[in-house]
Amino acid sequence: KGMKLVDGGLLMNLPVSPLIDAGAKKVVSISMLSEKSESNCDSIIDIGLRSLDMLIDSTVHLERSKSTININIPLNNVSIIDVGKSSTVFTSSQQWIDNNKKVLIQQLKEKEL
């Protein structure tokens, strides 16, 4: 019908606010922020990518603070612009969840989720 739909990652990587605005009382958000900080920028492209990462990180931090609970699965080996790494994301995420399952279950119980 003439619409152009775009992945929300271009504008809002963790859309918690729209859920709350729509009346959600409890929101479980899942983010994938890296736990490491890369400081070596060897080119203008590296600087641009690092700036993009910092912008995304700041908006994700703001949105996840509005969640009832946030689960952050650190993806240290995948960049926001990496294409074709979905199998790496799924494998890394599953491993992280398996390793942290007890803590996750406890957090969900504490929030009555």
Side-chain angles (χ1 to χ4, degrees), residues 3-4 6 17 20 23 27-29 37 44 49 64 70-72 86 89 91 93-94 100 106 108-109 112:
M3 294 188 309
K4 294 187 186 222
V6 180
S17 292
I20 293 171
V27 177
V28 176
S29 63
S37 175
I44 192 71
L49 291 174
R64 75 183 190 176
N70 174 263
I71 299 166
N72 186 62
S86 59
V89 170
T91 301
S93 298
Q94 187 62 57
N100 294 279
Q106 182 60 38
L108 293 170
K109 285 181 181 178
E112 298 177 359

PDB file of all heavy atoms in Angstrom, residues 3-4 6 17 20 23 27-29 37 44 49 64 70-72 86 89 91 93-94 100 106 108-109 112:
ATOM      1  N   MET A   3       3.679   1.748   1.486  1.00  0.00           N
ATOM      2  CA  MET A   3       4.462   1.982   2.709  1.00  0.00           C
ATOM      3  C   MET A   3       5.873   1.453   2.523  1.00  0.00           C
ATOM      4  O   MET A   3       6.095   0.499   1.795  1.00  0.00           O
ATOM      5  CB  MET A   3       3.821   1.268   3.901  1.00  0.00           C
ATOM      6  CG  MET A   3       2.481   1.818   4.292  1.00  0.00           C
ATOM      7  SD  MET A   3       1.838   1.113   5.845  1.00  0.00           S
ATOM      8  CE  MET A   3       1.984  -0.626   5.609  1.00  0.00           C
ATOM      9  N   LYS A   4       6.802   2.075   3.203  1.00  0.00           N
ATOM     10  CA  LYS A   4       8.170   1.577   3.261  1.00  0.00           C
ATOM     11  C   LYS A   4       8.454   1.263   4.715  1.00  0.00           C
ATOM     12  O   LYS A   4       8.427   2.147   5.560  1.00  0.00           O
ATOM     13  CB  LYS A   4       9.154   2.610   2.741  1.00  0.00           C
ATOM     14  CG  LYS A   4       8.955   2.866   1.263  1.00  0.00           C
ATOM     15  CD  LYS A   4      10.029   3.751   0.710  1.00  0.00           C
ATOM     16  CE  LYS A   4       9.635   4.062  -0.716  1.00  0.00           C
ATOM     17  NZ  LYS A   4      10.689   4.020  -1.639  1.00  0.00           N
ATOM     18  N   VAL A   6      10.956  -0.148   7.676  1.00  0.00           N
ATOM     19  CA  VAL A   6      12.379  -0.187   7.962  1.00  0.00           C
ATOM     20  C   VAL A   6      12.583  -0.816   9.328  1.00  0.00           C
ATOM     21  O   VAL A   6      11.804  -0.588  10.249  1.00  0.00           O
ATOM     22  CB  VAL A   6      12.975   1.252   7.954  1.00  0.00           C
ATOM     23  CG1 VAL A   6      14.457   1.225   8.241  1.00  0.00           C
ATOM     24  CG2 VAL A   6      12.693   1.930   6.630  1.00  0.00           C
ATOM     25  N   SER A  17      10.113   2.335  25.197  1.00  0.00           N
ATOM     26  CA  SER A  17       9.184   3.454  25.379  1.00  0.00           C
ATOM     27  C   SER A  17       7.855   3.267  24.655  1.00  0.00           C
ATOM     28  O   SER A  17       6.801   3.516  25.250  1.00  0.00           O
ATOM     29  CB  SER A  17       9.831   4.768  24.930  1.00  0.00           C
ATOM     30  OG  SER A  17      10.877   5.110  25.792  1.00  0.00           O
ATOM     31  N   ILE A  20       5.660   0.945  26.699  1.00  0.00           N
ATOM     32  CA  ILE A  20       5.146   1.594  27.906  1.00  0.00           C
ATOM     33  C   ILE A  20       4.054   2.600  27.535  1.00  0.00           C
ATOM     34  O   ILE A  20       3.004   2.652  28.175  1.00  0.00           O
ATOM     35  CB  ILE A  20       6.296   2.255  28.692  1.00  0.00           C
ATOM     36  CG1 ILE A  20       7.222   1.163  29.256  1.00  0.00           C
ATOM     37  CG2 ILE A  20       5.760   3.139  29.809  1.00  0.00           C
ATOM     38  CD1 ILE A  20       8.507   1.675  29.853  1.00  0.00           C
ATOM     39  N   GLY A  23       0.795   1.089  27.095  1.00  0.00           N
ATOM     40  CA  GLY A  23       0.138   0.572  28.279  1.00  0.00           C
ATOM     41  C   GLY A  23       0.753  -0.666  28.898  1.00  0.00           C
ATOM     42  O   GLY A  23       0.216  -1.206  29.863  1.00  0.00           O
ATOM     43  N   VAL A  27       7.883  -4.954  31.049  1.00  0.00           N
ATOM     44  CA  VAL A  27       8.594  -5.104  29.784  1.00  0.00           C
ATOM     45  C   VAL A  27       9.919  -5.810  30.046  1.00  0.00           C
ATOM     46  O   VAL A  27      10.706  -5.362  30.874  1.00  0.00           O
ATOM     47  CB  VAL A  27       8.864  -3.731  29.120  1.00  0.00           C
ATOM     48  CG1 VAL A  27       9.679  -3.905  27.846  1.00  0.00           C
ATOM     49  CG2 VAL A  27       7.561  -3.002  28.841  1.00  0.00           C
ATOM     50  N   VAL A  28      10.133  -6.905  29.344  1.00  0.00           N
ATOM     51  CA  VAL A  28      11.416  -7.596  29.365  1.00  0.00           C
ATOM     52  C   VAL A  28      12.139  -7.206  28.083  1.00  0.00           C
ATOM     53  O   VAL A  28      11.637  -7.445  26.990  1.00  0.00           O
ATOM     54  CB  VAL A  28      11.247  -9.125  29.423  1.00  0.00           C
ATOM     55  CG1 VAL A  28      12.597  -9.819  29.342  1.00  0.00           C
ATOM     56  CG2 VAL A  28      10.504  -9.536  30.687  1.00  0.00           C
ATOM     57  N   SER A  29      13.281  -6.564  28.224  1.00  0.00           N
ATOM     58  CA  SER A  29      14.039  -6.166  27.038  1.00  0.00           C
ATOM     59  C   SER A  29      15.313  -7.000  26.952  1.00  0.00           C
ATOM     60  O   SER A  29      15.861  -7.427  27.965  1.00  0.00           O
ATOM     61  CB  SER A  29      14.374  -4.673  27.078  1.00  0.00           C
ATOM     62  OG  SER A  29      15.203  -4.374  28.181  1.00  0.00           O
ATOM     63  N   SER A  37      35.436  -2.243  25.460  1.00  0.00           N
ATOM     64  CA  SER A  37      35.500  -0.924  24.843  1.00  0.00           C
ATOM     65  C   SER A  37      36.701  -0.881  23.920  1.00  0.00           C
ATOM     66  O   SER A  37      37.833  -1.088  24.358  1.00  0.00           O
ATOM     67  CB  SER A  37      35.624   0.151  25.917  1.00  0.00           C
ATOM     68  OG  SER A  37      35.794   1.400  25.310  1.00  0.00           O
ATOM     69  N   ILE A  44      39.507   6.878   9.648  1.00  0.00           N
ATOM     70  CA  ILE A  44      38.292   7.680   9.783  1.00  0.00           C
ATOM     71  C   ILE A  44      37.065   6.773   9.841  1.00  0.00           C
ATOM     72  O   ILE A  44      36.087   7.082  10.521  1.00  0.00           O
ATOM     73  CB  ILE A  44      38.193   8.740   8.648  1.00  0.00           C
ATOM     74  CG1 ILE A  44      37.097   9.761   8.943  1.00  0.00           C
ATOM     75  CG2 ILE A  44      37.960   8.066   7.318  1.00  0.00           C
ATOM     76  CD1 ILE A  44      37.423  10.696  10.064  1.00  0.00           C
ATOM     77  N   LEU A  49      32.590   4.387  12.946  1.00  0.00           N
ATOM     78  CA  LEU A  49      31.930   3.207  13.513  1.00  0.00           C
ATOM     79  C   LEU A  49      31.890   3.269  15.035  1.00  0.00           C
ATOM     80  O   LEU A  49      30.886   2.920  15.654  1.00  0.00           O
ATOM     81  CB  LEU A  49      32.634   1.929  13.047  1.00  0.00           C
ATOM     82  CG  LEU A  49      32.475   1.585  11.575  1.00  0.00           C
ATOM     83  CD1 LEU A  49      33.342   0.373  11.211  1.00  0.00           C
ATOM     84  CD2 LEU A  49      31.029   1.342  11.224  1.00  0.00           C
ATOM     85  N   ARG A  64      16.732   0.721  28.125  1.00  0.00           N
ATOM     86  CA  ARG A  64      16.704  -0.457  29.004  1.00  0.00           C
ATOM     87  C   ARG A  64      16.480  -0.081  30.459  1.00  0.00           C
ATOM     88  O   ARG A  64      15.981  -0.888  31.231  1.00  0.00           O
ATOM     89  CB  ARG A  64      17.924  -1.339  28.795  1.00  0.00           C
ATOM     90  CG  ARG A  64      19.215  -0.867  29.357  1.00  0.00           C
ATOM     91  CD  ARG A  64      20.302  -1.841  28.975  1.00  0.00           C
ATOM     92  NE  ARG A  64      21.525  -1.564  29.682  1.00  0.00           N
ATOM     93  CZ  ARG A  64      22.597  -2.300  29.594  1.00  0.00           C
ATOM     94  NH1 ARG A  64      22.610  -3.370  28.838  1.00  0.00           N
ATOM     95  NH2 ARG A  64      23.676  -1.992  30.263  1.00  0.00           N
ATOM     96  N   ASN A  70      16.098  -6.099  32.109  1.00  0.00           N
ATOM     97  CA  ASN A  70      16.853  -6.130  30.861  1.00  0.00           C
ATOM     98  C   ASN A  70      17.827  -7.288  30.924  1.00  0.00           C
ATOM     99  O   ASN A  70      18.512  -7.480  31.925  1.00  0.00           O
ATOM    100  CB  ASN A  70      17.618  -4.828  30.629  1.00  0.00           C
ATOM    101  CG  ASN A  70      18.514  -4.924  29.405  1.00  0.00           C
ATOM    102  OD1 ASN A  70      19.705  -5.197  29.502  1.00  0.00           O
ATOM    103  ND2 ASN A  70      17.942  -4.734  28.233  1.00  0.00           N
ATOM    104  N   ILE A  71      17.864  -8.028  29.865  1.00  0.00           N
ATOM    105  CA  ILE A  71      18.836  -9.110  29.710  1.00  0.00           C
ATOM    106  C   ILE A  71      19.804  -8.642  28.637  1.00  0.00           C
ATOM    107  O   ILE A  71      19.405  -8.413  27.498  1.00  0.00           O
ATOM    108  CB  ILE A  71      18.144 -10.420  29.298  1.00  0.00           C
ATOM    109  CG1 ILE A  71      17.147 -10.840  30.380  1.00  0.00           C
ATOM    110  CG2 ILE A  71      19.175 -11.506  29.021  1.00  0.00           C
ATOM    111  CD1 ILE A  71      16.186 -11.921  29.941  1.00  0.00           C
ATOM    112  N   ASN A  72      21.070  -8.453  29.012  1.00  0.00           N
ATOM    113  CA  ASN A  72      22.074  -8.033  28.036  1.00  0.00           C
ATOM    114  C   ASN A  72      22.950  -9.223  27.686  1.00  0.00           C
ATOM    115  O   ASN A  72      23.598  -9.796  28.548  1.00  0.00           O
ATOM    116  CB  ASN A  72      22.940  -6.893  28.570  1.00  0.00           C
ATOM    117  CG  ASN A  72      23.870  -6.381  27.482  1.00  0.00           C
ATOM    118  OD1 ASN A  72      23.432  -5.895  26.452  1.00  0.00           O
ATOM    119  ND2 ASN A  72      25.167  -6.523  27.702  1.00  0.00           N
ATOM    120  N   SER A  86      24.380 -13.862  11.347  1.00  0.00           N
ATOM    121  CA  SER A  86      23.253 -14.280  12.186  1.00  0.00           C
ATOM    122  C   SER A  86      23.529 -15.597  12.895  1.00  0.00           C
ATOM    123  O   SER A  86      23.168 -15.762  14.053  1.00  0.00           O
ATOM    124  CB  SER A  86      21.964 -14.368  11.375  1.00  0.00           C
ATOM    125  OG  SER A  86      22.107 -15.288  10.313  1.00  0.00           O
ATOM    126  N   VAL A  89      25.566 -14.837  15.903  1.00  0.00           N
ATOM    127  CA  VAL A  89      24.737 -14.191  16.923  1.00  0.00           C
ATOM    128  C   VAL A  89      23.893 -15.242  17.650  1.00  0.00           C
ATOM    129  O   VAL A  89      23.824 -15.264  18.879  1.00  0.00           O
ATOM    130  CB  VAL A  89      23.842 -13.093  16.307  1.00  0.00           C
ATOM    131  CG1 VAL A  89      22.815 -12.598  17.312  1.00  0.00           C
ATOM    132  CG2 VAL A  89      24.692 -11.952  15.790  1.00  0.00           C
ATOM    133  N   THR A  91      24.362 -18.545  17.886  1.00  0.00           N
ATOM    134  CA  THR A  91      25.208 -19.474  18.643  1.00  0.00           C
ATOM    135  C   THR A  91      25.737 -18.817  19.920  1.00  0.00           C
ATOM    136  O   THR A  91      25.651 -19.397  21.002  1.00  0.00           O
ATOM    137  CB  THR A  91      26.388 -19.958  17.775  1.00  0.00           C
ATOM    138  OG1 THR A  91      25.867 -20.601  16.610  1.00  0.00           O
ATOM    139  CG2 THR A  91      27.271 -20.927  18.542  1.00  0.00           C
ATOM    140  N   SER A  93      24.510 -16.231  21.502  1.00  0.00           N
ATOM    141  CA  SER A  93      23.387 -15.951  22.401  1.00  0.00           C
ATOM    142  C   SER A  93      22.954 -17.204  23.146  1.00  0.00           C
ATOM    143  O   SER A  93      22.718 -17.167  24.354  1.00  0.00           O
ATOM    144  CB  SER A  93      22.203 -15.379  21.614  1.00  0.00           C
ATOM    145  OG  SER A  93      22.556 -14.171  21.005  1.00  0.00           O
ATOM    146  N   GLN A  94      22.850 -18.316  22.434  1.00  0.00           N
ATOM    147  CA  GLN A  94      22.434 -19.570  23.070  1.00  0.00           C
ATOM    148  C   GLN A  94      23.445 -20.007  24.125  1.00  0.00           C
ATOM    149  O   GLN A  94      23.069 -20.436  25.218  1.00  0.00           O
ATOM    150  CB  GLN A  94      22.247 -20.673  22.025  1.00  0.00           C
ATOM    151  CG  GLN A  94      21.663 -21.943  22.609  1.00  0.00           C
ATOM    152  CD  GLN A  94      20.273 -21.730  23.188  1.00  0.00           C
ATOM    153  OE1 GLN A  94      19.371 -21.290  22.496  1.00  0.00           O
ATOM    154  NE2 GLN A  94      20.102 -22.018  24.461  1.00  0.00           N
ATOM    155  N   ASN A 100      24.014 -18.734  31.777  1.00  0.00           N
ATOM    156  CA  ASN A 100      23.424 -17.811  32.750  1.00  0.00           C
ATOM    157  C   ASN A 100      21.977 -18.135  33.092  1.00  0.00           C
ATOM    158  O   ASN A 100      21.279 -17.309  33.674  1.00  0.00           O
ATOM    159  CB  ASN A 100      23.521 -16.376  32.215  1.00  0.00           C
ATOM    160  CG  ASN A 100      24.953 -15.903  32.110  1.00  0.00           C
ATOM    161  OD1 ASN A 100      25.543 -15.496  33.086  1.00  0.00           O
ATOM    162  ND2 ASN A 100      25.520 -15.987  30.931  1.00  0.00           N
ATOM    163  N   GLN A 106      16.089 -16.679  38.174  1.00  0.00           N
ATOM    164  CA  GLN A 106      15.935 -16.006  39.465  1.00  0.00           C
ATOM    165  C   GLN A 106      15.486 -14.562  39.282  1.00  0.00           C
ATOM    166  O   GLN A 106      14.595 -14.076  39.977  1.00  0.00           O
ATOM    167  CB  GLN A 106      17.248 -16.057  40.257  1.00  0.00           C
ATOM    168  CG  GLN A 106      17.161 -15.428  41.636  1.00  0.00           C
ATOM    169  CD  GLN A 106      16.122 -16.106  42.516  1.00  0.00           C
ATOM    170  OE1 GLN A 106      15.951 -17.325  42.480  1.00  0.00           O
ATOM    171  NE2 GLN A 106      15.415 -15.328  43.300  1.00  0.00           N
ATOM    172  N   LEU A 108      13.828 -13.274  36.764  1.00  0.00           N
ATOM    173  CA  LEU A 108      12.441 -13.270  36.296  1.00  0.00           C
ATOM    174  C   LEU A 108      11.465 -13.560  37.430  1.00  0.00           C
ATOM    175  O   LEU A 108      10.402 -12.936  37.515  1.00  0.00           O
ATOM    176  CB  LEU A 108      12.270 -14.275  35.147  1.00  0.00           C
ATOM    177  CG  LEU A 108      13.000 -13.928  33.854  1.00  0.00           C
ATOM    178  CD1 LEU A 108      12.971 -15.101  32.889  1.00  0.00           C
ATOM    179  CD2 LEU A 108      12.431 -12.681  33.216  1.00  0.00           C
ATOM    180  N   LYS A 109      11.832 -14.480  38.318  1.00  0.00           N
ATOM    181  CA  LYS A 109      10.978 -14.785  39.460  1.00  0.00           C
ATOM    182  C   LYS A 109      10.850 -13.590  40.391  1.00  0.00           C
ATOM    183  O   LYS A 109       9.773 -13.288  40.898  1.00  0.00           O
ATOM    184  CB  LYS A 109      11.509 -15.995  40.229  1.00  0.00           C
ATOM    185  CG  LYS A 109      11.259 -17.304  39.558  1.00  0.00           C
ATOM    186  CD  LYS A 109      11.789 -18.467  40.373  1.00  0.00           C
ATOM    187  CE  LYS A 109      11.554 -19.788  39.679  1.00  0.00           C
ATOM    188  NZ  LYS A 109      12.109 -20.909  40.445  1.00  0.00           N
ATOM    189  N   GLU A 112       8.424 -11.238  39.223  1.00  0.00           N
ATOM    190  CA  GLU A 112       7.139 -11.900  38.997  1.00  0.00           C
ATOM    191  C   GLU A 112       6.788 -11.990  37.510  1.00  0.00           C
ATOM    192  O   GLU A 112       5.677 -11.697  37.098  1.00  0.00           O
ATOM    193  CB  GLU A 112       6.039 -11.198  39.785  1.00  0.00           C
ATOM    194  CG  GLU A 112       6.287 -11.243  41.286  1.00  0.00           C
ATOM    195  CD  GLU A 112       5.234 -10.493  42.083  1.00  0.00           C
ATOM    196  OE1 GLU A 112       4.319  -9.921  41.484  1.00  0.00           O
ATOM    197  OE2 GLU A 112       5.351 -10.491  43.325  1.00  0.00           O
TER     198      GLU A 112
END
